[in-house]
Amino acid sequence: MTPQQARMAPFYWPRWIVLIMVVGMVAVLAPIIIISGSATATAPAKGNYVPQTRTYFIGADEVDWNYAPTGSDQITGEPFDETAAVFTQQGPQRIGSTYIKSLYREYTNSSFRTLKPRTAADRHLGMLGPVIRAVVGDTIKVVFKNNLDRPVSVHTHGVFYDKGSEGAPYNDGTSPADHRDDAVAPGTVYTYSYKVPDRAGPGPMDGSSVMWMYHSHTDEVGDDYAGLVGPMVITKASAARTDGTPEDVDREFFVQFKVSDENASPYLQRNITRFAGDPASVDPGNEEFGESNLMHSVNGYVFGNLPLDAMTMKKGERVRWYLMGMGTEVDLHTPHWHGNTVTALGMRTDVVSLLPATMVTADMVPDDPGTWLFHCHVNDHISAGMLVRYRITNASAPRNGNSVHSGHTS
């Protein structure tokens, strides 16, 4: 073999050297493979969390809802001006600020005789239904009673359900038995069941909990405008308290931005008959009348009427905001916090974006005490009253409510 041939010939390690190298690589990599495999597949949840069934008793009830219960503009501290009066003033051809609504409300048990009082921490929910909570691995049961005069349902986002718990009527090729959940008849009770698998919980870029929503899907548009919407939170097992709340959060707020179009509510004619000063003279097709019924609301309140005490937190608390939008093409919302910042979608910001049925989770550690504006930054929505206030107190100051919610188990 010439020197040139020797350089070009393939080189082979002696077998005993190759064997030693393979054994050494296996010895080095084995612990890594074992550890990474156990971390993703077999690592126990913190505190050895035991999945449970959480049962909620929720009714759909008819109520009178006042979007502006104080009777004044709480943002300016003054009586309603001419612009605000368009949406709040009652008159011969105007409904005013109070409307008949359908709302989800929580009851203490399956008799549906006693409403479960809202805690101080939940008073900010306003028009929203009760918070449904669960931990990854749990089962949620919603025992639902329709107390209305028309069929409605419960349709959830995010969690796992079969066709008998979807709560949405359409031609899906299933049997009549699988459609009983789609339109629960007035006066009847139906039990929805949902599993909470990993894909319903926080993803790789999420924090310790994520928000979903539930709403009626029988007449999806009419039921939405009637008010049948509520929030749901899923917490990962390694970060959950026994009641399902995330242990790394001190305070939670659930906020819905929506232009509630009362013209598209199933109660429009009843609202005209009951609240307009001269019902017979009302023309539902009148443009100015239609505008007066577009309630630019935050949790069902306009012009700062969401109670400030219910939106109060302490400096330094770990605050989680769950934000959602609903509605139609005008419901492009940009919630903006004055005075403090949040982290949302991996970014530091003080404004987030919402579209109908969008859900965004934002974390805040407030550092600037005071009373601050929280509003949609769309100009037309500002003028129409889509504004509330929130308050940061010093850490030593008392605050109404906390993040602890009673658990729901069975």
Side-chain angles (χ1 to χ4, degrees), residues 247-299:
E247 66 176 4
D248 60 347
V249 174
D250 301 313
R251 189 77 167 89
E252 297 173 295
F253 292 95
F254 302 85
V255 186
Q256 176 187 233
F257 286 78
K258 180 170 69 177
V259 181
S260 294
D261 187 354
E262 297 292 345
N263 303 288
S265 165
Y267 297 117
L268 176 62
Q269 189 55 54
R270 286 182 57 192
N271 281 320
I272 293 172
T273 300
R274 182 168 175 183
F275 297 113
D278 184 7
S281 68
V282 174
D283 175 12
N286 178 270
E287 184 176 348
E288 292 183 356
F289 173 77
E291 177 70 15
S292 74
N293 295 319
L294 299 178
M295 306 305 288
H296 294 62
S297 62
V298 181
N299 285 6

Short mmCIF file of all heavy atoms in Angstrom, two decimals, residues 247-299:
data_model
loop_
_atom_site.label_atom_id
_atom_site.label_comp_id
_atom_site.label_asym_id
_atom_site.label_seq_id
_atom_site.Cartn_x
_atom_site.Cartn_y
_atom_site.Cartn_z
N GLU A 247 -51.70 27.82 43.88
CA GLU A 247 -51.07 28.22 45.14
C GLU A 247 -50.09 29.37 44.98
O GLU A 247 -49.69 29.99 45.98
CB GLU A 247 -50.36 27.03 45.77
CG GLU A 247 -49.18 26.49 44.98
CD GLU A 247 -48.46 25.38 45.71
OE1 GLU A 247 -48.94 24.98 46.80
OE2 GLU A 247 -47.43 24.91 45.20
N ASP A 248 -49.68 29.69 43.77
CA ASP A 248 -48.75 30.79 43.56
C ASP A 248 -49.47 32.09 43.21
O ASP A 248 -48.86 33.04 42.72
CB ASP A 248 -47.74 30.44 42.47
CG ASP A 248 -48.39 30.14 41.12
OD1 ASP A 248 -49.64 29.95 41.09
OD2 ASP A 248 -47.67 30.08 40.10
N VAL A 249 -50.78 32.15 43.48
CA VAL A 249 -51.59 33.34 43.21
C VAL A 249 -52.33 33.73 44.48
O VAL A 249 -52.92 32.89 45.15
CB VAL A 249 -52.59 33.08 42.06
CG1 VAL A 249 -53.52 34.27 41.86
CG2 VAL A 249 -51.85 32.77 40.76
N ASP A 250 -52.30 35.03 44.81
CA ASP A 250 -52.99 35.53 46.00
C ASP A 250 -54.38 36.06 45.71
O ASP A 250 -55.25 36.04 46.58
CB ASP A 250 -52.16 36.66 46.65
CG ASP A 250 -50.77 36.22 47.06
OD1 ASP A 250 -50.66 35.14 47.68
OD2 ASP A 250 -49.80 36.93 46.74
N ARG A 251 -54.59 36.55 44.50
CA ARG A 251 -55.86 37.22 44.19
C ARG A 251 -56.15 37.00 42.71
O ARG A 251 -55.26 37.06 41.87
CB ARG A 251 -55.74 38.71 44.50
CG ARG A 251 -57.05 39.48 44.42
CD ARG A 251 -57.91 39.24 45.65
NE ARG A 251 -59.00 40.20 45.72
CZ ARG A 251 -60.19 40.02 45.17
NH1 ARG A 251 -60.46 38.94 44.48
NH2 ARG A 251 -61.13 40.94 45.31
N GLU A 252 -57.41 36.74 42.39
CA GLU A 252 -57.83 36.50 41.02
C GLU A 252 -58.99 37.42 40.65
O GLU A 252 -59.88 37.67 41.46
CB GLU A 252 -58.28 35.04 40.84
CG GLU A 252 -57.19 34.02 41.07
CD GLU A 252 -57.75 32.61 41.03
OE1 GLU A 252 -58.57 32.28 41.92
OE2 GLU A 252 -57.39 31.84 40.11
N PHE A 253 -58.96 37.89 39.40
CA PHE A 253 -60.05 38.69 38.87
C PHE A 253 -60.47 38.13 37.51
O PHE A 253 -59.62 37.79 36.68
CB PHE A 253 -59.64 40.16 38.71
CG PHE A 253 -59.42 40.86 40.02
CD1 PHE A 253 -58.15 40.96 40.56
CD2 PHE A 253 -60.48 41.41 40.72
CE1 PHE A 253 -57.93 41.59 41.78
CE2 PHE A 253 -60.29 42.04 41.94
CZ PHE A 253 -59.01 42.13 42.47
N PHE A 254 -61.78 38.05 37.30
CA PHE A 254 -62.35 37.55 36.05
C PHE A 254 -63.11 38.70 35.40
O PHE A 254 -64.04 39.24 36.01
CB PHE A 254 -63.29 36.38 36.33
CG PHE A 254 -62.61 35.23 37.03
CD1 PHE A 254 -62.48 35.22 38.42
CD2 PHE A 254 -62.08 34.17 36.30
CE1 PHE A 254 -61.85 34.17 39.07
CE2 PHE A 254 -61.46 33.12 36.95
CZ PHE A 254 -61.34 33.12 38.33
N VAL A 255 -62.71 39.06 34.19
CA VAL A 255 -63.26 40.27 33.59
C VAL A 255 -63.68 40.00 32.14
O VAL A 255 -62.88 39.51 31.33
CB VAL A 255 -62.23 41.42 33.61
CG1 VAL A 255 -62.87 42.71 33.11
CG2 VAL A 255 -61.68 41.62 35.02
N GLN A 256 -64.92 40.33 31.84
CA GLN A 256 -65.44 40.19 30.48
C GLN A 256 -65.72 41.57 29.89
O GLN A 256 -66.42 42.39 30.50
CB GLN A 256 -66.74 39.38 30.45
CG GLN A 256 -67.36 39.30 29.07
CD GLN A 256 -68.74 38.65 29.06
OE1 GLN A 256 -69.01 37.72 28.33
NE2 GLN A 256 -69.64 39.17 29.90
N PHE A 257 -65.17 41.82 28.71
CA PHE A 257 -65.45 43.03 27.95
C PHE A 257 -66.42 42.66 26.83
O PHE A 257 -66.13 41.77 26.02
CB PHE A 257 -64.16 43.61 27.37
CG PHE A 257 -63.28 44.28 28.39
CD1 PHE A 257 -62.48 43.53 29.23
CD2 PHE A 257 -63.25 45.65 28.50
CE1 PHE A 257 -61.66 44.12 30.18
CE2 PHE A 257 -62.43 46.28 29.44
CZ PHE A 257 -61.63 45.51 30.28
N LYS A 258 -67.55 43.35 26.77
CA LYS A 258 -68.55 43.01 25.75
C LYS A 258 -69.51 44.17 25.52
O LYS A 258 -69.96 44.81 26.48
CB LYS A 258 -69.36 41.77 26.17
CG LYS A 258 -70.42 41.36 25.15
CD LYS A 258 -71.03 39.99 25.47
CE LYS A 258 -71.88 40.00 26.71
NZ LYS A 258 -72.51 38.68 26.94
N VAL A 259 -69.83 44.40 24.26
CA VAL A 259 -70.93 45.30 23.92
C VAL A 259 -72.20 44.45 23.93
O VAL A 259 -72.49 43.74 22.97
CB VAL A 259 -70.72 45.97 22.56
CG1 VAL A 259 -71.88 46.91 22.26
CG2 VAL A 259 -69.39 46.71 22.51
N SER A 260 -72.92 44.49 25.03
CA SER A 260 -74.13 43.69 25.16
C SER A 260 -75.24 44.32 24.32
O SER A 260 -75.79 45.36 24.68
CB SER A 260 -74.57 43.60 26.63
OG SER A 260 -73.62 42.87 27.39
N ASP A 261 -75.56 43.67 23.22
CA ASP A 261 -76.57 44.20 22.30
C ASP A 261 -77.95 43.76 22.77
O ASP A 261 -78.42 42.68 22.43
CB ASP A 261 -76.29 43.71 20.89
CG ASP A 261 -77.21 44.35 19.86
OD1 ASP A 261 -78.13 45.09 20.25
OD2 ASP A 261 -77.01 44.09 18.65
N GLU A 262 -78.60 44.61 23.53
CA GLU A 262 -79.92 44.27 24.05
C GLU A 262 -80.98 44.22 22.96
O GLU A 262 -82.07 43.68 23.17
CB GLU A 262 -80.32 45.26 25.15
CG GLU A 262 -79.42 45.26 26.37
CD GLU A 262 -79.52 43.96 27.18
OE1 GLU A 262 -80.48 43.19 26.95
OE2 GLU A 262 -78.64 43.71 28.01
N ASN A 263 -80.66 44.76 21.78
CA ASN A 263 -81.59 44.64 20.66
C ASN A 263 -81.69 43.20 20.17
O ASN A 263 -82.70 42.81 19.57
CB ASN A 263 -81.11 45.52 19.50
CG ASN A 263 -80.96 46.96 19.89
OD1 ASN A 263 -81.95 47.67 20.09
ND2 ASN A 263 -79.72 47.43 19.98
N ALA A 264 -80.65 42.40 20.40
CA ALA A 264 -80.62 41.01 19.97
C ALA A 264 -80.94 40.05 21.11
O ALA A 264 -80.84 38.84 20.95
CB ALA A 264 -79.26 40.67 19.37
N SER A 265 -81.33 40.59 22.25
CA SER A 265 -81.72 39.75 23.38
C SER A 265 -83.12 39.18 23.17
O SER A 265 -83.99 39.86 22.60
CB SER A 265 -81.71 40.58 24.67
OG SER A 265 -82.39 39.91 25.73
N PRO A 266 -83.37 37.98 23.64
CA PRO A 266 -84.74 37.43 23.53
C PRO A 266 -85.75 38.20 24.38
O PRO A 266 -86.95 37.98 24.25
CB PRO A 266 -84.58 36.00 24.01
CG PRO A 266 -83.34 35.98 24.83
CD PRO A 266 -82.44 37.01 24.23
N TYR A 267 -85.26 39.11 25.22
CA TYR A 267 -86.14 39.88 26.10
C TYR A 267 -86.43 41.29 25.59
O TYR A 267 -87.00 42.10 26.33
CB TYR A 267 -85.51 40.00 27.50
CG TYR A 267 -85.33 38.69 28.21
CD1 TYR A 267 -84.05 38.24 28.53
CD2 TYR A 267 -86.41 37.90 28.57
CE1 TYR A 267 -83.86 37.05 29.20
CE2 TYR A 267 -86.24 36.70 29.23
CZ TYR A 267 -84.97 36.27 29.54
OH TYR A 267 -84.79 35.08 30.20
N LEU A 268 -86.07 41.61 24.36
CA LEU A 268 -86.21 42.99 23.90
C LEU A 268 -87.63 43.51 24.07
O LEU A 268 -87.86 44.57 24.66
CB LEU A 268 -85.79 43.11 22.43
CG LEU A 268 -86.01 44.50 21.83
CD1 LEU A 268 -85.18 45.55 22.56
CD2 LEU A 268 -85.69 44.51 20.33
N GLN A 269 -88.62 42.79 23.55
CA GLN A 269 -89.99 43.30 23.64
C GLN A 269 -90.46 43.40 25.08
O GLN A 269 -91.14 44.37 25.46
CB GLN A 269 -90.94 42.42 22.83
CG GLN A 269 -92.34 43.00 22.69
CD GLN A 269 -92.34 44.41 22.11
OE1 GLN A 269 -91.78 44.67 21.04
NE2 GLN A 269 -92.97 45.36 22.82
N ARG A 270 -90.11 42.43 25.89
CA ARG A 270 -90.49 42.51 27.31
C ARG A 270 -89.82 43.68 27.99
O ARG A 270 -90.42 44.34 28.86
CB ARG A 270 -90.12 41.20 28.02
CG ARG A 270 -91.05 40.04 27.67
CD ARG A 270 -90.66 38.79 28.44
NE ARG A 270 -90.67 39.03 29.88
CZ ARG A 270 -90.16 38.17 30.78
NH1 ARG A 270 -89.58 37.04 30.36
NH2 ARG A 270 -90.21 38.44 32.05
N ASN A 271 -88.57 43.99 27.62
CA ASN A 271 -87.89 45.14 28.21
C ASN A 271 -88.55 46.45 27.79
O ASN A 271 -88.69 47.37 28.59
CB ASN A 271 -86.40 45.14 27.80
CG ASN A 271 -85.58 44.16 28.63
OD1 ASN A 271 -85.77 44.04 29.83
ND2 ASN A 271 -84.67 43.46 27.98
N ILE A 272 -88.97 46.51 26.54
CA ILE A 272 -89.70 47.71 26.08
C ILE A 272 -90.99 47.87 26.86
O ILE A 272 -91.30 48.96 27.38
CB ILE A 272 -89.99 47.60 24.57
CG1 ILE A 272 -88.69 47.67 23.76
CG2 ILE A 272 -90.96 48.71 24.13
CD1 ILE A 272 -88.88 47.37 22.28
N THR A 273 -91.75 46.79 26.95
CA THR A 273 -93.05 46.86 27.64
C THR A 273 -92.89 47.23 29.10
O THR A 273 -93.69 48.02 29.64
CB THR A 273 -93.75 45.50 27.53
OG1 THR A 273 -93.94 45.19 26.13
CG2 THR A 273 -95.09 45.52 28.23
N ARG A 274 -91.85 46.72 29.72
CA ARG A 274 -91.71 46.91 31.17
C ARG A 274 -91.04 48.22 31.54
O ARG A 274 -91.42 48.86 32.54
CB ARG A 274 -90.92 45.75 31.76
CG ARG A 274 -90.75 45.85 33.26
CD ARG A 274 -90.24 44.56 33.84
NE ARG A 274 -89.98 44.68 35.25
CZ ARG A 274 -89.46 43.71 35.99
NH1 ARG A 274 -89.17 42.54 35.43
NH2 ARG A 274 -89.23 43.88 37.27
N PHE A 275 -90.04 48.68 30.76
CA PHE A 275 -89.21 49.79 31.23
C PHE A 275 -89.38 51.08 30.42
O PHE A 275 -89.10 52.16 30.95
CB PHE A 275 -87.74 49.38 31.22
CG PHE A 275 -87.42 48.25 32.17
CD1 PHE A 275 -87.02 47.01 31.69
CD2 PHE A 275 -87.53 48.42 33.54
CE1 PHE A 275 -86.73 45.97 32.55
CE2 PHE A 275 -87.24 47.39 34.41
CZ PHE A 275 -86.85 46.15 33.93
N ALA A 276 -89.80 51.02 29.18
CA ALA A 276 -89.98 52.26 28.42
C ALA A 276 -91.19 53.02 28.94
O ALA A 276 -92.21 52.42 29.33
CB ALA A 276 -90.15 51.94 26.93
N GLY A 277 -91.10 54.35 28.95
CA GLY A 277 -92.19 55.15 29.50
C GLY A 277 -93.46 55.06 28.68
O GLY A 277 -94.57 55.11 29.21
N ASP A 278 -93.32 54.93 27.36
CA ASP A 278 -94.47 54.84 26.47
C ASP A 278 -94.21 53.69 25.48
O ASP A 278 -93.83 53.93 24.32
CB ASP A 278 -94.68 56.17 25.72
CG ASP A 278 -95.93 56.15 24.85
OD1 ASP A 278 -96.70 55.17 24.93
OD2 ASP A 278 -96.11 57.12 24.08
N PRO A 279 -94.41 52.46 25.93
CA PRO A 279 -94.02 51.30 25.10
C PRO A 279 -94.65 51.30 23.71
O PRO A 279 -94.00 50.90 22.74
CB PRO A 279 -94.53 50.11 25.93
CG PRO A 279 -94.60 50.62 27.32
CD PRO A 279 -94.97 52.06 27.22
N ALA A 280 -95.87 51.76 23.61
CA ALA A 280 -96.56 51.72 22.31
C ALA A 280 -95.90 52.62 21.28
O ALA A 280 -96.05 52.41 20.07
CB ALA A 280 -98.03 52.10 22.48
N SER A 281 -95.15 53.62 21.73
CA SER A 281 -94.53 54.57 20.80
C SER A 281 -93.12 54.15 20.39
O SER A 281 -92.50 54.83 19.57
CB SER A 281 -94.47 55.97 21.44
OG SER A 281 -93.57 55.97 22.54
N VAL A 282 -92.63 53.06 20.94
CA VAL A 282 -91.25 52.63 20.65
C VAL A 282 -91.20 51.94 19.29
O VAL A 282 -91.97 51.02 19.01
CB VAL A 282 -90.73 51.69 21.75
CG1 VAL A 282 -89.36 51.14 21.36
CG2 VAL A 282 -90.65 52.41 23.08
N ASP A 283 -90.25 52.38 18.47
CA ASP A 283 -89.98 51.73 17.19
C ASP A 283 -88.66 50.97 17.32
O ASP A 283 -87.58 51.58 17.33
CB ASP A 283 -89.86 52.78 16.08
CG ASP A 283 -89.44 52.17 14.74
OD1 ASP A 283 -89.46 50.92 14.62
OD2 ASP A 283 -89.09 52.95 13.84
N PRO A 284 -88.70 49.62 17.44
CA PRO A 284 -87.47 48.86 17.62
C PRO A 284 -86.46 49.03 16.48
O PRO A 284 -85.27 48.80 16.68
CB PRO A 284 -87.96 47.41 17.68
CG PRO A 284 -89.38 47.50 18.12
CD PRO A 284 -89.89 48.76 17.49
N GLY A 285 -86.94 49.47 15.31
CA GLY A 285 -86.04 49.68 14.18
C GLY A 285 -85.41 51.05 14.14
O GLY A 285 -84.56 51.32 13.28
N ASN A 286 -85.78 51.92 15.07
CA ASN A 286 -85.23 53.27 15.11
C ASN A 286 -83.74 53.22 15.46
O ASN A 286 -83.34 52.55 16.42
CB ASN A 286 -85.98 54.11 16.13
CG ASN A 286 -85.42 55.51 16.26
OD1 ASN A 286 -84.54 55.75 17.07
ND2 ASN A 286 -85.95 56.44 15.47
N GLU A 287 -82.93 53.94 14.68
CA GLU A 287 -81.47 53.87 14.86
C GLU A 287 -81.03 54.37 16.23
O GLU A 287 -80.16 53.77 16.87
CB GLU A 287 -80.79 54.68 13.75
CG GLU A 287 -79.27 54.58 13.79
CD GLU A 287 -78.62 55.30 12.63
OE1 GLU A 287 -79.35 55.67 11.67
OE2 GLU A 287 -77.39 55.50 12.66
N GLU A 288 -81.62 55.45 16.69
CA GLU A 288 -81.21 56.00 17.98
C GLU A 288 -81.65 55.08 19.12
O GLU A 288 -80.92 54.93 20.11
CB GLU A 288 -81.81 57.40 18.16
CG GLU A 288 -81.20 58.43 17.21
CD GLU A 288 -81.77 59.82 17.46
OE1 GLU A 288 -82.68 59.96 18.31
OE2 GLU A 288 -81.31 60.77 16.78
N PHE A 289 -82.82 54.47 18.99
CA PHE A 289 -83.25 53.50 19.99
C PHE A 289 -82.28 52.32 20.02
O PHE A 289 -81.88 51.86 21.09
CB PHE A 289 -84.66 53.01 19.69
CG PHE A 289 -85.12 51.89 20.58
CD1 PHE A 289 -85.54 52.14 21.88
CD2 PHE A 289 -85.14 50.58 20.11
CE1 PHE A 289 -85.96 51.09 22.71
CE2 PHE A 289 -85.56 49.53 20.93
CZ PHE A 289 -85.96 49.80 22.23
N GLY A 290 -81.90 51.82 18.84
CA GLY A 290 -80.96 50.71 18.78
C GLY A 290 -79.63 51.05 19.44
O GLY A 290 -79.07 50.23 20.18
N GLU A 291 -79.12 52.25 19.20
CA GLU A 291 -77.86 52.68 19.81
C GLU A 291 -77.96 52.70 21.33
O GLU A 291 -77.02 52.33 22.04
CB GLU A 291 -77.48 54.07 19.28
CG GLU A 291 -76.22 54.67 19.89
CD GLU A 291 -74.95 53.95 19.46
OE1 GLU A 291 -75.00 53.18 18.47
OE2 GLU A 291 -73.90 54.16 20.11
N SER A 292 -79.10 53.12 21.85
CA SER A 292 -79.26 53.23 23.31
C SER A 292 -79.19 51.88 24.01
O SER A 292 -78.97 51.81 25.22
CB SER A 292 -80.59 53.92 23.64
OG SER A 292 -81.70 53.05 23.41
N ASN A 293 -79.38 50.81 23.26
CA ASN A 293 -79.39 49.46 23.84
C ASN A 293 -78.07 48.71 23.65
O ASN A 293 -78.00 47.51 23.92
CB ASN A 293 -80.52 48.63 23.22
CG ASN A 293 -81.88 49.19 23.57
OD1 ASN A 293 -82.13 49.60 24.70
ND2 ASN A 293 -82.78 49.21 22.59
N LEU A 294 -77.04 49.42 23.19
CA LEU A 294 -75.71 48.81 23.07
C LEU A 294 -74.92 49.13 24.33
O LEU A 294 -74.28 50.18 24.44
CB LEU A 294 -75.00 49.35 21.82
CG LEU A 294 -75.68 49.09 20.49
CD1 LEU A 294 -74.90 49.72 19.35
CD2 LEU A 294 -75.85 47.59 20.25
N MET A 295 -74.97 48.22 25.27
CA MET A 295 -74.38 48.47 26.58
C MET A 295 -72.91 48.02 26.58
O MET A 295 -72.59 46.83 26.60
CB MET A 295 -75.17 47.74 27.66
CG MET A 295 -76.67 48.07 27.63
SD MET A 295 -77.03 49.85 27.72
CE MET A 295 -76.63 50.19 29.42
N HIS A 296 -72.02 49.01 26.55
CA HIS A 296 -70.58 48.77 26.48
C HIS A 296 -70.08 48.48 27.90
O HIS A 296 -69.70 49.38 28.63
CB HIS A 296 -69.87 49.98 25.89
CG HIS A 296 -70.22 50.26 24.46
ND1 HIS A 296 -71.50 50.56 24.04
CD2 HIS A 296 -69.44 50.27 23.34
CE1 HIS A 296 -71.50 50.75 22.73
NE2 HIS A 296 -70.27 50.57 22.28
N SER A 297 -70.06 47.21 28.23
CA SER A 297 -69.96 46.84 29.64
C SER A 297 -68.72 46.05 29.99
O SER A 297 -68.11 45.38 29.15
CB SER A 297 -71.21 46.01 30.04
OG SER A 297 -71.26 44.82 29.28
N VAL A 298 -68.35 46.13 31.25
CA VAL A 298 -67.31 45.31 31.86
C VAL A 298 -67.98 44.54 32.99
O VAL A 298 -68.44 45.13 33.97
CB VAL A 298 -66.16 46.17 32.41
CG1 VAL A 298 -65.07 45.28 33.03
CG2 VAL A 298 -65.56 47.05 31.32
N ASN A 299 -68.12 43.24 32.80
CA ASN A 299 -68.85 42.39 33.75
C ASN A 299 -70.28 42.87 33.99
O ASN A 299 -70.85 42.67 35.07
CB ASN A 299 -68.10 42.26 35.08
CG ASN A 299 -66.89 41.35 34.98
OD1 ASN A 299 -66.53 40.87 33.91
ND2 ASN A 299 -66.25 41.09 36.11
#
